[in-house]
């Protein structure tokens, strides 16, 4: 097990006095990717401060994993041959809960001139201020009416902290979203600006605060593309670590269903592309393999990955794997129909809709995904985990591609066959019945109750029950970029779903028929 080559206590002291990097979202992707980047720079003696991590959603992560282990973590990288590359990550200088208990410390950090970066892995839904109907969430309504003093929603908290930095003398800072969503920096900025605008209207903050946020010399919101498959902690990895003498391996499932441990397991492959726009300096992360470029290139890489080369493939495997009873993504890749499905979605339907980013080769990227990354039997990733929050992923993973086909005269939207097949598979998944006709548990999703209301009339084994139930879903431009019924896709999805609800093995038979 590799251990840090720097003095952790000195790093912690320097970070406490002069913080440079604060990160929101203490989950497994942070532990497996972001924290190790800074660990590399510390080992190279290129920086002398670490990262302060904040968890605003699930406080148990901090209380039960970070603090009991003095913020240390073990990273187990899983090679395709089954061997592990293990290293202790010591770059986390401080862990905080994003509520009133650590609120004073958070304000202190944001008032410090040395702070360069506030980054985020809070998932796509973390930026949403409204429910599926477009109404503000209850937490957001509270924050709108009470201002920046005791915010409840994560975005309101970030906005409040930014306001403290503004009051301290309009100190510069870069807010860096590292979440898997299109134009993530823009999404973060829009959410913050929404809160600010309402606070200005209600007299809680000055209008010049908005000017500060919109001054590109003071505040920036770089776009990024991040890619690393990071499953929840694996019992197999837990056993392997115990056998080599590492004992801090208790896997915890919090009350909010976060699976986390003092160790984190992940694949070797990783990509982080960042728009190089920082207003107060930045870490030399290029020395740790990060690629810095312009916004247009980041957008092209993000569309390549999220809309064609990885994420849509993951979602396809998630919904069909759950229905067909698979317990790992790697096992799904052994199924000839499912492997052919992701090849068709990626190479045939996804890639034609993306522009070549030049910084990475799309065909080489997707080849690595299909031939090396997804089939890796030692990546303990499950379709059930990937199926979490699918409604939030559909717009970026399929909606953007559909919109491109709809608007580009060089592309034929009516030729799409496999993307609508996956959309139908997702709707079939929402019935909560597997391909054997047995009840199956659905993964968490913020739109689950609403979606189930729409499809409540659909009955397993009754093709005619599909009827017009799907119209509210398939016509939703927020989900698919367009109303699918303005093209042939709406009826195509309906037709696929009718075949999939016929009865036992209907999903498997349709996949074999199509593939």
């Amino acid at each position: 097990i590799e251990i840090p080559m720097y003095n952790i206590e000195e790093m912690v002291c320097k970070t406490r006095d002069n913080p440079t990097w604060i990160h929101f979202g203490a989950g497994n992707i942070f532990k497996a990717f972001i924290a190790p980047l800074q660990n590399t720079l510390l080992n190279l003696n290129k920086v002398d401060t670490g990262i302060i991590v904040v968890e605003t959603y699930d406080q148990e992560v901090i209380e039960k994993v970070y603090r009991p282990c003095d913020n240390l973590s073990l990273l187990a990288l899983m090679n395709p041959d089954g061997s592990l590359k293990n290293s202790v990550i010591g770059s986390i200088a401080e862990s905080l809960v994003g509520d009133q208990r650590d609120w004073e410390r958070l304000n202190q950090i944001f008032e410090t001139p040395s702070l360069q970066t506030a980054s985020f892995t809070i998932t796509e839904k973390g930026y949403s201020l409204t429910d599926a109907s477009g109404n503000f969430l209850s937490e957001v309504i509270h924050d709108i009416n009470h201002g920046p003093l005791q915010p409840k929603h994560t975005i309101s908290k970030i906005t409040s902290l930014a306001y403290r930095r503004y009051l301290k003398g309009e100190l510069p800072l870069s807010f860096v979203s590292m979440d898997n969503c299109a134009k993530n920096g823009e999404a973060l900025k829009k959410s913050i600006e929404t809160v600010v605008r309402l606070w200005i209207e209600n007299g809680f903050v000055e209008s010049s605060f908005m000017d500060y946020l919109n001054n590109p010399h003071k505040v920036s919101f770089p776009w990024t593309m991040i890619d690393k498959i990071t499953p929840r902690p694996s019992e197999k990895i837990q056993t392997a670590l115990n056998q080599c003498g590492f004992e801090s391996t208790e896997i915890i499932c919090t009350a909010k269903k976060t699976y986390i441990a003092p160790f984190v397991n992940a694949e070797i492959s990783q990509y982080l592309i960042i728009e190089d726009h920082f207003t107060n300096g930045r870490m030399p992360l290029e020395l740790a393999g990060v690629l810095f470029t312009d916004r247009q290139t980041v957008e092209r890489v993000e569309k390549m990955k999220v809309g064609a080369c990885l994420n849509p493939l993951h979602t396809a495997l998630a919904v069909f794997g759950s229905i067909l009873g698979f317990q790992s993504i790697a096992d799904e890749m052994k199924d000839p129909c499912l492997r052919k499905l992701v090849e068709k979605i990626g190479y045939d339907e996804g890639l034609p809709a993306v522009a070549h980013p030049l910084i990475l080769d799309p065909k080489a990227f997707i080849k690595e995904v299909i031939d090396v990354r997804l089939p890796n039997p030692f990546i303990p990733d499950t379709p059930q985990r990937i199926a979490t929050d699918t409604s939030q992923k559909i717009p970026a993973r399929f909606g953007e591609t559909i919109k491109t086909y709809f608007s580009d005269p060089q592309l034929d939207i009516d030729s799409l066959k496999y993307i609508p097949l996956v959309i139908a598979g997702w709707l079939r998944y929402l019935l909560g019945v597997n391909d054997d006709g047995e009840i199956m548990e659905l993964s968490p999703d913020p739109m689950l109750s609403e979606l189930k209301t729409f499809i409540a009339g659909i009955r397993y084994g009754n093709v005619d029950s599909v009827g017009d139930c799907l119209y509210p879903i398939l016509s939703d431009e927020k989900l698919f970029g367009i109303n699918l019924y303005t093209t042939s896709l709406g009826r195509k999805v309906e037709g696929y779903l009718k075949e999939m609800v016929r009865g036992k093995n209907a999903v498997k038979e349709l996949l074999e028929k199509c593939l």
Side-chain angles (χ1 to χ4, degrees):
I1 298 175
E2 296 178 3
I3 61 172
M5 296 183 290
Y6 51 91
N7 187 308
I8 293 178
E9 290 185 358
E10 288 183 4
M11 179 274 294
V12 170
C13 290
K14 289 180 179 179
T15 306
R16 175 168 285 277
D17 294 339
N18 293 287
T20 51
W21 187 353
I22 188 166
H23 183 89
F24 292 83
N28 291 314
I29 185 65
F30 169 73
K31 286 160 62 73
F33 195 173
I34 311 305
L37 292 175
Q38 191 72 347
N39 195 69
T40 296
L41 297 185
L42 286 161
N43 278 333
L44 293 172
N45 199 31
K46 297 298 182 180
V47 298
D48 59 6
T49 58
I51 305 176
I52 298 169
V53 67
V54 187
E55 179 58 39
T56 59
Y57 173 72
D58 195 340
Q59 64 191 42
E60 286 187 76
V61 168
I62 301 298
E63 295 171 346
K64 294 185 176 180
V65 174
Y66 278 83
R67 289 176 179 172
C69 296
D70 298 325
N71 299 319
L72 297 171
S73 178
L74 185 134
L75 171 61
L77 294 176
M78 298 174 289
N79 295 302
D81 64 2
S83 63
L84 297 178
K85 180 183 179 183
N86 302 319
S87 56
V88 171
I89 306 301
S91 58
I92 303 167
E94 192 174 358
S95 58
L96 303 172
V97 175
D99 62 21
Q100 294 305 312
R101 284 168 294 173
D102 291 327
W103 194 242
E104 184 177 345
R105 173 59 181 154
L106 282 167
N107 279 295
Q108 182 184 51
I109 292 167
F110 270 77
E111 290 176 348
T112 306
S114 60
L115 188 65
Q116 297 177 329
T117 301
S119 56
F120 304 84
T121 50
I122 57 176
T123 76
E124 295 162 76
K125 64 183 178 182
Y127 303 100
S128 179
L129 303 175
T130 59
D131 59 23
S133 301
N135 300 314
F136 282 120
L137 301 170
S138 58
E139 286 185 337
V140 177
I141 292 173
H142 169 276
D143 298 339
I144 292 170
N145 294 327
H146 291 82
L149 291 182
Q150 292 186 324
K152 292 186 176 183
H153 191 276
T154 297
I155 293 297
S156 305
K157 292 174 181 178
I158 303 305
T159 308
S160 175
L161 293 167
Y163 183 57
R164 291 295 290 261
R165 192 163 183 82
Y166 157 79
L167 292 176
K168 201 66 178 179
E170 299 190 17
L171 299 174
L173 186 64
S174 296
F175 294 87
V176 186
S177 169
M178 296 179 178
D179 280 299
N180 277 323
C181 54
K183 305 177 182 179
N184 49 16
E186 182 177 304
L188 174 59
K189 184 180 181 183
K190 283 184 176 180
S191 292
I192 290 175
E193 285 183 337
T194 298
V195 175
V196 174
R197 185 174 64 254
L198 293 166
W199 281 353
I200 291 172
E201 291 176 3
N202 291 336
F204 291 117
V205 301
E206 305 90 328
S207 60
S208 53
F209 177 40
M210 184 73 86
D211 297 334
Y212 161 73
L213 292 173
N214 284 319
N215 183 341
H217 301 292
K218 294 285 186 179
V219 179
S220 66
F221 295 86
W223 296 11
T224 70
M225 190 288 285
I226 189 169
D227 179 26
K228 188 177 185 70
I229 298 174
T230 308
R232 62 180 53 166
S234 163
E235 292 181 356
K236 289 184 179 179
I237 304 300
Q238 179 186 38
T239 300
L241 293 174
N242 286 337
Q243 288 174 346
C244 77
F246 185 82
E247 298 179 354
S248 300
T249 56
E250 180 186 2
I251 299 174
I252 293 168
C253 177
T254 70
K256 293 187 175 180
K257 302 299 182 183
T258 301
Y259 287 84
I260 198 160
F263 72 95
V264 60
N265 40 246
E267 66 171 343
I268 293 285
S269 299
Q270 62 183 38
Y271 299 88
L272 180 56
I273 322 293
I274 302 179
E275 176 190 358
D276 198 0
H277 181 195
F278 289 77
T279 59
N280 199 30
R282 63 166 174 81
M283 296 295 157
L285 291 170
E286 61 272 20
L287 300 177
V290 175
L291 300 177
F292 288 93
T293 184
D294 58 85
R295 176 171 291 189
Q296 183 183 48
T297 301
V298 172
E299 184 176 20
R300 287 180 173 178
V301 173
E302 185 271 335
K303 285 184 175 180
M304 178 200 81
K305 179 249 181 181
V306 176
C309 294
L310 175 60
N311 297 77
L313 284 56
H314 245 164
T315 293
L317 294 172
V319 296
F320 284 116
S322 297
I323 296 169
L324 297 174
F326 283 92
Q327 296 301 311
S328 82
I329 296 295
D331 283 344
E332 287 190 74
M333 291 300 289
K334 298 175 185 176
D335 183 290
C337 284
L338 293 176
R339 182 184 177 93
K340 192 171 182 181
L341 174 64
V342 296
E343 289 174 347
K344 291 290 186 181
I345 294 169
Y347 288 118
D348 294 2
E349 296 188 346
L351 280 185
V354 298
H356 198 302
L358 301 180
I359 200 170
L360 292 174
D361 178 57
K363 286 189 177 180
F365 188 97
I366 199 170
K367 181 176 175 58
E368 181 189 33
V369 168
I370 291 176
D371 293 344
V372 179
R373 298 172 66 184
L374 295 180
N376 186 340
F378 302 101
I379 300 290
D381 216 352
T382 67
Q384 293 77 18
R385 183 190 80 88
I386 303 298
T388 300
D389 299 335
T390 299
S391 69
Q392 310 298 292
K393 300 170 181 175
I394 289 288
R397 300 184 181 194
F398 298 106
E400 291 297 316
T401 297
I402 291 170
K403 277 198 301 185
T404 300
Y405 269 85
F406 185 72
S407 61
D408 190 337
Q410 302 297 317
L411 299 172
D412 179 12
I413 193 168
D414 294 322
S415 70
L416 292 177
K417 177 179 179 180
Y418 303 101
I419 288 176
L421 179 62
V422 177
I423 293 170
W426 172 52
L427 298 173
R428 171 64 180 80
Y429 162 84
L430 291 173
L431 296 182
V433 179
N434 67 21
D435 207 26
D436 289 327
E438 301 167 342
I439 300 297
M440 67 178 184
E441 182 179 356
L442 299 181
S443 300
D445 190 306
M447 285 186 67
L448 196 56
S449 59
E450 181 180 4
L451 291 166
K452 292 183 76 171
T453 299
F454 291 139
I455 63 172
I458 301 177
R459 296 285 179 265
Y460 174 80
N462 185 344
V463 173
D464 294 334
S465 67
V466 174
D468 294 323
C469 296
L470 302 183
Y471 189 84
I473 301 174
L474 299 182
S475 63
D476 189 345
E477 296 184 13
K478 292 181 181 178
L479 280 174
F480 304 108
I482 64 169
N483 176 346
L484 296 187
Y485 289 103
T486 59
T487 70
S488 65
L489 299 189
R491 297 302 176 191
K492 197 174 291 186
V493 172
E494 285 185 359
Y496 284 141
L497 183 59
K498 287 178 180 178
E499 292 197 52
M500 283 191 271
V501 300
R502 288 184 181 277
K504 189 173 182 178
N505 295 325
V507 175
K508 187 175 188 295
E509 290 170 2
L510 178 62
L511 288 172
E512 290 174 347
K513 175 183 173 182
C514 293
L515 295 152

